[in-house]
Amino acid sequence: MDRAEHVDRAEHVDRAEYAGRGAGEEAWSGSGVAESWRTYRMVAAMWIRSTLAYRSSFALTFLSSLVATFFDFVVILLMFGQVRGLGGFSFAEVAFLYGATGTSFGLADLVMGSLPRMGKRVRDGSLDTFLLRPAPVLAQVAADRFALRRLGRIAQGLLVLVWGLVVLEGVEWTPLKVLLVPVMLLSGALIFAALMVLGASLLFWLQDAGEVTSSFTYGGNTMLQYPPTIFAQDLVRGVVYVVPLAFVNWLPALYVLGRTPPAGVPGWAAFASPLVAAVCCAVAGLAWRAGLRSYQSTGS
Amino acid sequence: MRLYATVAAGGFRRHATYRVATAAGVFTNTVFGFILSYTYIALWDARPTLGGYDMGDALAYVWIGQGLITVCGLMGGGFEEELIERIRTGDIAVDLYRPADLQTWWFAANLGRAAYQLLGRGIAPMVFGALVFDLTLPDSPWTWPAFLGSVALGAIVSFALWYLVALSAFWLLDGQGVVQAAWLGGLFFSGMLLPLNVFPGALGEVARMLPWASMLQVPADVYLGRYEGWGLLGVYAFQAGWAVVLLATGRAVQAAATRKVVVQGG
């Protein structure tokens, strides 16, 4: 099943000019966001239809995506079969941390999970097709081969999160804490998504370096499943001040759990996740524009 | 024979071209090695002799795992995507008319790939892990060749398994589902997330008998000096046994698939 080619309308448009326009508007103006969203929806819908053409394969991929992420949690279950607490955290608390980062990462992965594929397109020059189309490039690349099976990851994250919340004991729920949970999930998703865009921007220069992004996204997700107390303090400081992954779940979740934040971070940082997410998105947007502007086709 | 040696050398060279990708891979494996090391430290702090490992053994296990991910194809054989694509597009018909056996061809190419991955992505994370963490090193110099032998057998079992996965595309056309399922099995039953000897009861016993055990658990235990003499021969036989069974199954499936190609006309 080949992707639909919409090059006809763009034939008369200068490619470089178009790339500049798409890049400039998609990130900043309101209409750019709306256009990006429309493009994203169209491309994603096309891939969903294509996925559902092989129904048995889709069922299998969806199931295995769900089970794959579940196995990841089985490891934590197995660990707690051997010990009562990990780094001073109970099973319910670890499940809460796990579910929160899993949901955020799943959301980001659903929307942006196709970005690593771009390295191949930069290398073989097929990215040019996207530049020719009269639509925002980031939206096209992100929706390319949109994989519906990634819903499995979100489902599993939410399941563990809800379960963690149910078995959690000794948390005094206030309206503020209740509100903080959805804010944490969305901000976390935005931080992960921004990292994915940032990583994809790098691909314009380093086509083969896609895996570096995984160490921050997948690796970050794995790290955040465990309490910050088990890691070296320098590593914790790194994900607070350098790559702000701690804002995905650690800082807000520790506030909900009534624990002291790590690495000498002030208490109000628990509420800073939306702000951090906004800054991350702005940085990612700038990096994407710079990358797109420096892009030169392979010429082959 | 010479043909396949050339193919293997080609597989090596081909992957050696992607230097940035290798560096990126080493970086990623090292980051994951760090994260896993800290979780294992927390676990072995609480249970110092878990699974018969001490802290140093557990840490060595982590870094061996990071080193072998690509060598033994724990999360993908590194060739199945390409083979599936050739089957899906019908290019496979061209391959079948070559005066070379399909399975042996891919076997040789993958051996070259695995050898490169061992040098390019296997050694660096292990050295890094050994510098930062206090991990167990072999007592005897003979452990190293014994370990390498086990790794080689693990890589062969991995190839045989992923080859079968790729061949499923002859029937399913879109191989993604099977690839995902195989990836899942590899991830969990190779012991990459948690050593198989920490798995409880029957789950552990079954896991240790499956082919995936030969890709990480067995080589790691050979490295940790758990098998010597007849014991070592025993685990080699375990790995070789799975390799023979899976390669033979691959042959049979290939024969059935080839007939199908002729019928379909590619």
PDB file of all heavy atoms in Angstrom, chain A residues 57 61 64 68 71 75 78 82-83 149 208 211 215 219 226 231-232, chain B residues 27-28 32 35 38-39 46-47 50 121 174 180 183-184 188 193 198 200:
ATOM      1  N   SER A  57      -3.476  -8.895  11.069  1.00  0.00           N
ATOM      2  CA  SER A  57      -2.169  -8.388  11.456  1.00  0.00           C
ATOM      3  C   SER A  57      -2.324  -7.223  12.432  1.00  0.00           C
ATOM      4  O   SER A  57      -1.568  -7.095  13.401  1.00  0.00           O
ATOM      5  CB  SER A  57      -1.396  -7.934  10.223  1.00  0.00           C
ATOM      6  OG  SER A  57      -0.075  -7.654  10.560  1.00  0.00           O
ATOM      7  N   THR A  61      -0.775  -6.896  16.120  1.00  0.00           N
ATOM      8  CA  THR A  61       0.141  -5.823  16.524  1.00  0.00           C
ATOM      9  C   THR A  61      -0.408  -5.065  17.725  1.00  0.00           C
ATOM     10  O   THR A  61       0.331  -4.702  18.629  1.00  0.00           O
ATOM     11  CB  THR A  61       0.383  -4.783  15.410  1.00  0.00           C
ATOM     12  OG1 THR A  61      -0.846  -4.456  14.813  1.00  0.00           O
ATOM     13  CG2 THR A  61       1.364  -5.264  14.402  1.00  0.00           C
ATOM     14  N   SER A  64       0.019  -7.298  20.777  1.00  0.00           N
ATOM     15  CA  SER A  64       1.407  -7.451  21.220  1.00  0.00           C
ATOM     16  C   SER A  64       1.949  -6.129  21.747  1.00  0.00           C
ATOM     17  O   SER A  64       2.787  -6.121  22.644  1.00  0.00           O
ATOM     18  CB  SER A  64       2.290  -8.026  20.120  1.00  0.00           C
ATOM     19  OG  SER A  64       2.229  -7.230  18.982  1.00  0.00           O
ATOM     20  N   ALA A  68       3.416  -6.158  25.217  1.00  0.00           N
ATOM     21  CA  ALA A  68       4.820  -5.756  25.316  1.00  0.00           C
ATOM     22  C   ALA A  68       5.002  -4.791  26.468  1.00  0.00           C
ATOM     23  O   ALA A  68       5.896  -4.951  27.296  1.00  0.00           O
ATOM     24  CB  ALA A  68       5.280  -5.113  24.020  1.00  0.00           C
ATOM     25  N   PHE A  71       4.562  -6.590  29.764  1.00  0.00           N
ATOM     26  CA  PHE A  71       5.731  -7.355  30.204  1.00  0.00           C
ATOM     27  C   PHE A  71       6.703  -6.481  30.968  1.00  0.00           C
ATOM     28  O   PHE A  71       7.338  -6.912  31.922  1.00  0.00           O
ATOM     29  CB  PHE A  71       6.437  -7.964  28.988  1.00  0.00           C
ATOM     30  CG  PHE A  71       5.935  -9.325  28.626  1.00  0.00           C
ATOM     31  CD1 PHE A  71       4.876  -9.900  29.315  1.00  0.00           C
ATOM     32  CD2 PHE A  71       6.511 -10.049  27.604  1.00  0.00           C
ATOM     33  CE1 PHE A  71       4.409 -11.162  28.991  1.00  0.00           C
ATOM     34  CE2 PHE A  71       6.050 -11.319  27.262  1.00  0.00           C
ATOM     35  CZ  PHE A  71       4.998 -11.862  27.948  1.00  0.00           C
ATOM     36  N   VAL A  75       8.020  -7.079  34.973  1.00  0.00           N
ATOM     37  CA  VAL A  75       9.339  -7.021  35.590  1.00  0.00           C
ATOM     38  C   VAL A  75       9.249  -6.366  36.967  1.00  0.00           C
ATOM     39  O   VAL A  75       9.839  -6.843  37.942  1.00  0.00           O
ATOM     40  CB  VAL A  75      10.310  -6.245  34.681  1.00  0.00           C
ATOM     41  CG1 VAL A  75      11.599  -5.937  35.398  1.00  0.00           C
ATOM     42  CG2 VAL A  75      10.581  -7.050  33.421  1.00  0.00           C
ATOM     43  N   LEU A  78       7.634  -8.760  39.267  1.00  0.00           N
ATOM     44  CA  LEU A  78       8.583  -9.796  39.687  1.00  0.00           C
ATOM     45  C   LEU A  78       9.540  -9.248  40.751  1.00  0.00           C
ATOM     46  O   LEU A  78       9.876  -9.924  41.710  1.00  0.00           O
ATOM     47  CB  LEU A  78       9.383 -10.307  38.484  1.00  0.00           C
ATOM     48  CG  LEU A  78       8.640 -11.173  37.468  1.00  0.00           C
ATOM     49  CD1 LEU A  78       9.561 -11.582  36.333  1.00  0.00           C
ATOM     50  CD2 LEU A  78       8.058 -12.407  38.137  1.00  0.00           C
ATOM     51  N   GLN A  82      10.048 -10.169  45.146  1.00  0.00           N
ATOM     52  CA  GLN A  82      11.269 -10.471  45.895  1.00  0.00           C
ATOM     53  C   GLN A  82      11.522  -9.491  47.034  1.00  0.00           C
ATOM     54  O   GLN A  82      12.178  -9.826  48.009  1.00  0.00           O
ATOM     55  CB  GLN A  82      12.481 -10.449  44.949  1.00  0.00           C
ATOM     56  CG  GLN A  82      12.337 -11.304  43.704  1.00  0.00           C
ATOM     57  CD  GLN A  82      12.530 -12.778  43.987  1.00  0.00           C
ATOM     58  OE1 GLN A  82      12.868 -13.154  45.107  1.00  0.00           O
ATOM     59  NE2 GLN A  82      12.285 -13.625  42.994  1.00  0.00           N
ATOM     60  N   VAL A  83      11.053  -8.257  46.875  1.00  0.00           N
ATOM     61  CA  VAL A  83      11.342  -7.228  47.894  1.00  0.00           C
ATOM     62  C   VAL A  83      10.053  -6.506  48.254  1.00  0.00           C
ATOM     63  O   VAL A  83       9.077  -6.517  47.505  1.00  0.00           O
ATOM     64  CB  VAL A  83      12.379  -6.187  47.372  1.00  0.00           C
ATOM     65  CG1 VAL A  83      13.715  -6.842  47.134  1.00  0.00           C
ATOM     66  CG2 VAL A  83      11.889  -5.518  46.101  1.00  0.00           C
ATOM     67  N   ARG A 149      -1.798   0.924  16.569  1.00  0.00           N
ATOM     68  CA  ARG A 149      -1.499  -0.046  17.629  1.00  0.00           C
ATOM     69  C   ARG A 149      -0.890   0.628  18.855  1.00  0.00           C
ATOM     70  O   ARG A 149      -0.909   0.084  19.944  1.00  0.00           O
ATOM     71  CB  ARG A 149      -0.538  -1.107  17.117  1.00  0.00           C
ATOM     72  CG  ARG A 149       0.810  -0.544  16.735  1.00  0.00           C
ATOM     73  CD  ARG A 149       1.894  -1.603  16.669  1.00  0.00           C
ATOM     74  NE  ARG A 149       3.190  -0.994  16.488  1.00  0.00           N
ATOM     75  CZ  ARG A 149       3.661  -0.595  15.315  1.00  0.00           C
ATOM     76  NH1 ARG A 149       2.942  -0.758  14.230  1.00  0.00           N
ATOM     77  NH2 ARG A 149       4.846  -0.038  15.228  1.00  0.00           N
ATOM     78  N   ASP A 208      21.800   9.204  10.870  1.00  0.00           N
ATOM     79  CA  ASP A 208      21.779   7.871  11.473  1.00  0.00           C
ATOM     80  C   ASP A 208      21.663   7.904  12.994  1.00  0.00           C
ATOM     81  O   ASP A 208      21.732   6.884  13.640  1.00  0.00           O
ATOM     82  CB  ASP A 208      23.063   7.109  11.117  1.00  0.00           C
ATOM     83  CG  ASP A 208      23.105   6.764   9.653  1.00  0.00           C
ATOM     84  OD1 ASP A 208      22.032   6.565   9.077  1.00  0.00           O
ATOM     85  OD2 ASP A 208      24.213   6.711   9.092  1.00  0.00           O
ATOM     86  N   GLU A 211      18.881   6.741  17.148  1.00  0.00           N
ATOM     87  CA  GLU A 211      18.840   5.998  18.402  1.00  0.00           C
ATOM     88  C   GLU A 211      19.136   6.867  19.624  1.00  0.00           C
ATOM     89  O   GLU A 211      18.739   6.516  20.732  1.00  0.00           O
ATOM     90  CB  GLU A 211      19.830   4.832  18.351  1.00  0.00           C
ATOM     91  CG  GLU A 211      19.122   3.528  18.066  1.00  0.00           C
ATOM     92  CD  GLU A 211      19.991   2.341  18.386  1.00  0.00           C
ATOM     93  OE1 GLU A 211      20.771   1.937  17.515  1.00  0.00           O
ATOM     94  OE2 GLU A 211      19.883   1.842  19.498  1.00  0.00           O
ATOM     95  N   SER A 215      17.275   7.020  23.629  1.00  0.00           N
ATOM     96  CA  SER A 215      17.814   6.920  24.980  1.00  0.00           C
ATOM     97  C   SER A 215      17.176   7.966  25.893  1.00  0.00           C
ATOM     98  O   SER A 215      17.092   7.754  27.096  1.00  0.00           O
ATOM     99  CB  SER A 215      19.337   7.022  24.980  1.00  0.00           C
ATOM    100  OG  SER A 215      19.751   8.139  24.284  1.00  0.00           O
ATOM    101  N   GLY A 219      14.411   5.578  27.153  1.00  0.00           N
ATOM    102  CA  GLY A 219      15.248   5.486  28.355  1.00  0.00           C
ATOM    103  C   GLY A 219      14.671   6.323  29.485  1.00  0.00           C
ATOM    104  O   GLY A 219      14.607   5.880  30.628  1.00  0.00           O
ATOM    105  N   TYR A 226      10.827   4.252  38.007  1.00  0.00           N
ATOM    106  CA  TYR A 226      11.391   3.927  39.317  1.00  0.00           C
ATOM    107  C   TYR A 226      11.535   5.206  40.139  1.00  0.00           C
ATOM    108  O   TYR A 226      11.659   6.292  39.581  1.00  0.00           O
ATOM    109  CB  TYR A 226      12.747   3.251  39.138  1.00  0.00           C
ATOM    110  CG  TYR A 226      12.645   1.923  38.429  1.00  0.00           C
ATOM    111  CD1 TYR A 226      12.801   1.832  37.053  1.00  0.00           C
ATOM    112  CD2 TYR A 226      12.358   0.763  39.137  1.00  0.00           C
ATOM    113  CE1 TYR A 226      12.690   0.616  36.397  1.00  0.00           C
ATOM    114  CE2 TYR A 226      12.244  -0.458  38.491  1.00  0.00           C
ATOM    115  CZ  TYR A 226      12.406  -0.523  37.124  1.00  0.00           C
ATOM    116  OH  TYR A 226      12.281  -1.722  36.480  1.00  0.00           O
ATOM    117  N   PHE A 231      18.541   6.249  42.074  1.00  0.00           N
ATOM    118  CA  PHE A 231      19.548   6.662  41.093  1.00  0.00           C
ATOM    119  C   PHE A 231      20.619   7.544  41.734  1.00  0.00           C
ATOM    120  O   PHE A 231      20.376   8.179  42.764  1.00  0.00           O
ATOM    121  CB  PHE A 231      18.892   7.413  39.939  1.00  0.00           C
ATOM    122  CG  PHE A 231      17.965   6.546  39.145  1.00  0.00           C
ATOM    123  CD1 PHE A 231      16.600   6.620  39.332  1.00  0.00           C
ATOM    124  CD2 PHE A 231      18.463   5.638  38.227  1.00  0.00           C
ATOM    125  CE1 PHE A 231      15.742   5.809  38.617  1.00  0.00           C
ATOM    126  CE2 PHE A 231      17.607   4.815  37.509  1.00  0.00           C
ATOM    127  CZ  PHE A 231      16.251   4.901  37.696  1.00  0.00           C
ATOM    128  N   ALA A 232      21.784   7.574  41.099  1.00  0.00           N
ATOM    129  CA  ALA A 232      22.854   8.472  41.539  1.00  0.00           C
ATOM    130  C   ALA A 232      22.330   9.908  41.476  1.00  0.00           C
ATOM    131  O   ALA A 232      21.617  10.268  40.532  1.00  0.00           O
ATOM    132  CB  ALA A 232      24.072   8.298  40.650  1.00  0.00           C
TER     133      ALA A 232
ATOM    134  N   PHE B  27      25.787   4.802  22.530  1.00  0.00           N
ATOM    135  CA  PHE B  27      25.284   5.787  23.490  1.00  0.00           C
ATOM    136  C   PHE B  27      23.988   5.299  24.140  1.00  0.00           C
ATOM    137  O   PHE B  27      23.848   5.291  25.359  1.00  0.00           O
ATOM    138  CB  PHE B  27      25.061   7.120  22.773  1.00  0.00           C
ATOM    139  CG  PHE B  27      24.527   8.207  23.659  1.00  0.00           C
ATOM    140  CD1 PHE B  27      25.372   8.890  24.523  1.00  0.00           C
ATOM    141  CD2 PHE B  27      23.181   8.548  23.639  1.00  0.00           C
ATOM    142  CE1 PHE B  27      24.885   9.887  25.346  1.00  0.00           C
ATOM    143  CE2 PHE B  27      22.678   9.543  24.460  1.00  0.00           C
ATOM    144  CZ  PHE B  27      23.534  10.221  25.315  1.00  0.00           C
ATOM    145  N   THR B  28      23.059   4.842  23.298  1.00  0.00           N
ATOM    146  CA  THR B  28      21.771   4.379  23.816  1.00  0.00           C
ATOM    147  C   THR B  28      21.948   3.176  24.744  1.00  0.00           C
ATOM    148  O   THR B  28      21.378   3.131  25.830  1.00  0.00           O
ATOM    149  CB  THR B  28      20.840   3.985  22.656  1.00  0.00           C
ATOM    150  OG1 THR B  28      20.827   5.071  21.736  1.00  0.00           O
ATOM    151  CG2 THR B  28      19.445   3.719  23.130  1.00  0.00           C
ATOM    152  N   PHE B  32      20.878   3.007  28.736  1.00  0.00           N
ATOM    153  CA  PHE B  32      20.024   1.961  29.295  1.00  0.00           C
ATOM    154  C   PHE B  32      20.773   1.122  30.320  1.00  0.00           C
ATOM    155  O   PHE B  32      20.201   0.708  31.333  1.00  0.00           O
ATOM    156  CB  PHE B  32      19.457   1.070  28.176  1.00  0.00           C
ATOM    157  CG  PHE B  32      18.143   1.562  27.655  1.00  0.00           C
ATOM    158  CD1 PHE B  32      18.085   2.379  26.544  1.00  0.00           C
ATOM    159  CD2 PHE B  32      16.967   1.228  28.303  1.00  0.00           C
ATOM    160  CE1 PHE B  32      16.876   2.860  26.075  1.00  0.00           C
ATOM    161  CE2 PHE B  32      15.755   1.701  27.839  1.00  0.00           C
ATOM    162  CZ  PHE B  32      15.716   2.524  26.727  1.00  0.00           C
ATOM    163  N   ILE B  35      20.602   2.986  33.586  1.00  0.00           N
ATOM    164  CA  ILE B  35      19.283   2.937  34.240  1.00  0.00           C
ATOM    165  C   ILE B  35      19.058   1.561  34.857  1.00  0.00           C
ATOM    166  O   ILE B  35      18.690   1.434  36.030  1.00  0.00           O
ATOM    167  CB  ILE B  35      18.174   3.287  33.235  1.00  0.00           C
ATOM    168  CG1 ILE B  35      18.337   4.731  32.750  1.00  0.00           C
ATOM    169  CG2 ILE B  35      16.796   3.104  33.857  1.00  0.00           C
ATOM    170  CD1 ILE B  35      17.490   5.085  31.556  1.00  0.00           C
ATOM    171  N   TYR B  38      21.137   0.839  38.045  1.00  0.00           N
ATOM    172  CA  TYR B  38      20.627   1.409  39.298  1.00  0.00           C
ATOM    173  C   TYR B  38      19.413   0.642  39.817  1.00  0.00           C
ATOM    174  O   TYR B  38      19.272   0.457  41.027  1.00  0.00           O
ATOM    175  CB  TYR B  38      20.311   2.896  39.128  1.00  0.00           C
ATOM    176  CG  TYR B  38      21.568   3.726  39.108  1.00  0.00           C
ATOM    177  CD1 TYR B  38      21.974   4.392  37.959  1.00  0.00           C
ATOM    178  CD2 TYR B  38      22.374   3.812  40.233  1.00  0.00           C
ATOM    179  CE1 TYR B  38      23.146   5.125  37.924  1.00  0.00           C
ATOM    180  CE2 TYR B  38      23.548   4.535  40.217  1.00  0.00           C
ATOM    181  CZ  TYR B  38      23.936   5.193  39.055  1.00  0.00           C
ATOM    182  OH  TYR B  38      25.097   5.899  39.036  1.00  0.00           O
ATOM    183  N   THR B  39      18.560   0.175  38.909  1.00  0.00           N
ATOM    184  CA  THR B  39      17.419  -0.601  39.398  1.00  0.00           C
ATOM    185  C   THR B  39      17.903  -1.938  39.982  1.00  0.00           C
ATOM    186  O   THR B  39      17.406  -2.368  41.020  1.00  0.00           O
ATOM    187  CB  THR B  39      16.382  -0.863  38.287  1.00  0.00           C
ATOM    188  OG1 THR B  39      16.982  -1.634  37.267  1.00  0.00           O
ATOM    189  CG2 THR B  39      15.852   0.420  37.704  1.00  0.00           C
ATOM    190  N   ALA B  46      18.458  -4.965  48.480  1.00  0.00           N
ATOM    191  CA  ALA B  46      17.429  -5.541  49.340  1.00  0.00           C
ATOM    192  C   ALA B  46      17.566  -7.055  49.435  1.00  0.00           C
ATOM    193  O   ALA B  46      17.253  -7.647  50.463  1.00  0.00           O
ATOM    194  CB  ALA B  46      16.047  -5.153  48.823  1.00  0.00           C
ATOM    195  N   ARG B  47      17.991  -7.695  48.341  1.00  0.00           N
ATOM    196  CA  ARG B  47      18.120  -9.164  48.318  1.00  0.00           C
ATOM    197  C   ARG B  47      19.492  -9.534  47.769  1.00  0.00           C
ATOM    198  O   ARG B  47      19.627  -9.869  46.600  1.00  0.00           O
ATOM    199  CB  ARG B  47      17.028  -9.765  47.437  1.00  0.00           C
ATOM    200  CG  ARG B  47      15.615  -9.653  47.986  1.00  0.00           C
ATOM    201  CD  ARG B  47      15.378 -10.653  49.125  1.00  0.00           C
ATOM    202  NE  ARG B  47      15.728 -12.018  48.761  1.00  0.00           N
ATOM    203  CZ  ARG B  47      14.933 -12.847  48.075  1.00  0.00           C
ATOM    204  NH1 ARG B  47      13.745 -12.452  47.685  1.00  0.00           N
ATOM    205  NH2 ARG B  47      15.328 -14.061  47.794  1.00  0.00           N
ATOM    206  N   LEU B  50      20.014 -12.682  45.346  1.00  0.00           N
ATOM    207  CA  LEU B  50      18.877 -12.985  44.471  1.00  0.00           C
ATOM    208  C   LEU B  50      19.325 -13.775  43.233  1.00  0.00           C
ATOM    209  O   LEU B  50      20.276 -13.375  42.552  1.00  0.00           O
ATOM    210  CB  LEU B  50      18.212 -11.672  44.062  1.00  0.00           C
ATOM    211  CG  LEU B  50      16.911 -11.748  43.284  1.00  0.00           C
ATOM    212  CD1 LEU B  50      15.844 -12.486  44.057  1.00  0.00           C
ATOM    213  CD2 LEU B  50      16.424 -10.342  42.960  1.00  0.00           C
ATOM    214  N   ARG B 121      29.311  -2.442  18.653  1.00  0.00           N
ATOM    215  CA  ARG B 121      28.353  -2.058  19.679  1.00  0.00           C
ATOM    216  C   ARG B 121      28.421  -2.920  20.925  1.00  0.00           C
ATOM    217  O   ARG B 121      27.765  -2.628  21.913  1.00  0.00           O
ATOM    218  CB  ARG B 121      26.930  -2.128  19.108  1.00  0.00           C
ATOM    219  CG  ARG B 121      26.645  -1.006  18.157  1.00  0.00           C
ATOM    220  CD  ARG B 121      25.222  -1.043  17.685  1.00  0.00           C
ATOM    221  NE  ARG B 121      24.273  -0.862  18.772  1.00  0.00           N
ATOM    222  CZ  ARG B 121      23.007  -0.543  18.588  1.00  0.00           C
ATOM    223  NH1 ARG B 121      22.550  -0.391  17.378  1.00  0.00           N
ATOM    224  NH2 ARG B 121      22.201  -0.385  19.607  1.00  0.00           N
ATOM    225  N   ASP B 174       1.873  -8.904   5.415  1.00  0.00           N
ATOM    226  CA  ASP B 174       2.354  -7.861   6.312  1.00  0.00           C
ATOM    227  C   ASP B 174       2.926  -8.557   7.538  1.00  0.00           C
ATOM    228  O   ASP B 174       2.192  -9.130   8.326  1.00  0.00           O
ATOM    229  CB  ASP B 174       1.200  -6.940   6.702  1.00  0.00           C
ATOM    230  CG  ASP B 174       1.663  -5.842   7.629  1.00  0.00           C
ATOM    231  OD1 ASP B 174       2.730  -5.255   7.356  1.00  0.00           O
ATOM    232  OD2 ASP B 174       0.989  -5.590   8.630  1.00  0.00           O
ATOM    233  N   GLN B 180       6.372  -8.095  15.806  1.00  0.00           N
ATOM    234  CA  GLN B 180       6.093  -7.543  17.132  1.00  0.00           C
ATOM    235  C   GLN B 180       6.026  -8.635  18.184  1.00  0.00           C
ATOM    236  O   GLN B 180       6.595  -8.511  19.271  1.00  0.00           O
ATOM    237  CB  GLN B 180       4.748  -6.820  17.103  1.00  0.00           C
ATOM    238  CG  GLN B 180       4.842  -5.426  16.537  1.00  0.00           C
ATOM    239  CD  GLN B 180       4.764  -4.405  17.648  1.00  0.00           C
ATOM    240  OE1 GLN B 180       3.997  -4.564  18.573  1.00  0.00           O
ATOM    241  NE2 GLN B 180       5.577  -3.384  17.562  1.00  0.00           N
ATOM    242  N   TRP B 183       9.425  -9.978  18.861  1.00  0.00           N
ATOM    243  CA  TRP B 183      10.171  -8.965  19.589  1.00  0.00           C
ATOM    244  C   TRP B 183       9.841  -9.044  21.076  1.00  0.00           C
ATOM    245  O   TRP B 183      10.702  -9.000  21.949  1.00  0.00           O
ATOM    246  CB  TRP B 183       9.775  -7.600  19.014  1.00  0.00           C
ATOM    247  CG  TRP B 183      10.342  -6.432  19.712  1.00  0.00           C
ATOM    248  CD1 TRP B 183      11.592  -5.931  19.574  1.00  0.00           C
ATOM    249  CD2 TRP B 183       9.667  -5.597  20.651  1.00  0.00           C
ATOM    250  NE1 TRP B 183      11.743  -4.851  20.387  1.00  0.00           N
ATOM    251  CE2 TRP B 183      10.585  -4.619  21.049  1.00  0.00           C
ATOM    252  CE3 TRP B 183       8.382  -5.581  21.197  1.00  0.00           C
ATOM    253  CZ2 TRP B 183      10.264  -3.631  21.974  1.00  0.00           C
ATOM    254  CZ3 TRP B 183       8.059  -4.606  22.105  1.00  0.00           C
ATOM    255  CH2 TRP B 183       8.988  -3.645  22.488  1.00  0.00           C
ATOM    256  N   LEU B 184       8.544  -9.242  21.294  1.00  0.00           N
ATOM    257  CA  LEU B 184       8.026  -9.380  22.644  1.00  0.00           C
ATOM    258  C   LEU B 184       8.627 -10.577  23.363  1.00  0.00           C
ATOM    259  O   LEU B 184       9.101 -10.480  24.487  1.00  0.00           O
ATOM    260  CB  LEU B 184       6.535  -9.630  22.466  1.00  0.00           C
ATOM    261  CG  LEU B 184       5.624  -9.511  23.608  1.00  0.00           C
ATOM    262  CD1 LEU B 184       5.533  -8.060  23.926  1.00  0.00           C
ATOM    263  CD2 LEU B 184       4.259 -10.021  23.189  1.00  0.00           C
ATOM    264  N   PHE B 188      11.279 -10.467  26.673  1.00  0.00           N
ATOM    265  CA  PHE B 188      10.935 -11.014  27.983  1.00  0.00           C
ATOM    266  C   PHE B 188      11.711 -12.295  28.283  1.00  0.00           C
ATOM    267  O   PHE B 188      12.301 -12.433  29.346  1.00  0.00           O
ATOM    268  CB  PHE B 188       9.437 -11.286  28.030  1.00  0.00           C
ATOM    269  CG  PHE B 188       8.923 -11.579  29.404  1.00  0.00           C
ATOM    270  CD1 PHE B 188       8.927 -10.582  30.375  1.00  0.00           C
ATOM    271  CD2 PHE B 188       8.449 -12.829  29.736  1.00  0.00           C
ATOM    272  CE1 PHE B 188       8.449 -10.838  31.646  1.00  0.00           C
ATOM    273  CE2 PHE B 188       7.969 -13.087  31.010  1.00  0.00           C
ATOM    274  CZ  PHE B 188       7.965 -12.087  31.972  1.00  0.00           C
ATOM    275  N   LEU B 193      15.188  -7.971  30.510  1.00  0.00           N
ATOM    276  CA  LEU B 193      14.603  -7.072  31.500  1.00  0.00           C
ATOM    277  C   LEU B 193      14.979  -7.490  32.913  1.00  0.00           C
ATOM    278  O   LEU B 193      15.205  -6.663  33.787  1.00  0.00           O
ATOM    279  CB  LEU B 193      13.079  -7.046  31.339  1.00  0.00           C
ATOM    280  CG  LEU B 193      12.586  -6.524  29.999  1.00  0.00           C
ATOM    281  CD1 LEU B 193      11.102  -6.745  29.836  1.00  0.00           C
ATOM    282  CD2 LEU B 193      12.905  -5.045  29.860  1.00  0.00           C
ATOM    283  N   VAL B 198      15.866 -15.180  38.108  1.00  0.00           N
ATOM    284  CA  VAL B 198      15.088 -14.452  39.112  1.00  0.00           C
ATOM    285  C   VAL B 198      13.594 -14.702  38.889  1.00  0.00           C
ATOM    286  O   VAL B 198      12.779 -14.490  39.774  1.00  0.00           O
ATOM    287  CB  VAL B 198      15.422 -12.940  39.047  1.00  0.00           C
ATOM    288  CG1 VAL B 198      14.568 -12.134  39.991  1.00  0.00           C
ATOM    289  CG2 VAL B 198      16.896 -12.728  39.362  1.00  0.00           C
ATOM    290  N   PRO B 200      10.222 -16.492  38.968  1.00  0.00           N
ATOM    291  CA  PRO B 200       9.820 -17.460  39.983  1.00  0.00           C
ATOM    292  C   PRO B 200       9.277 -18.756  39.384  1.00  0.00           C
ATOM    293  O   PRO B 200       8.707 -18.763  38.295  1.00  0.00           O
ATOM    294  CB  PRO B 200       8.709 -16.723  40.733  1.00  0.00           C
ATOM    295  CG  PRO B 200       8.127 -15.802  39.719  1.00  0.00           C
ATOM    296  CD  PRO B 200       9.234 -15.426  38.786  1.00  0.00           C
TER     297      PRO B 200
END
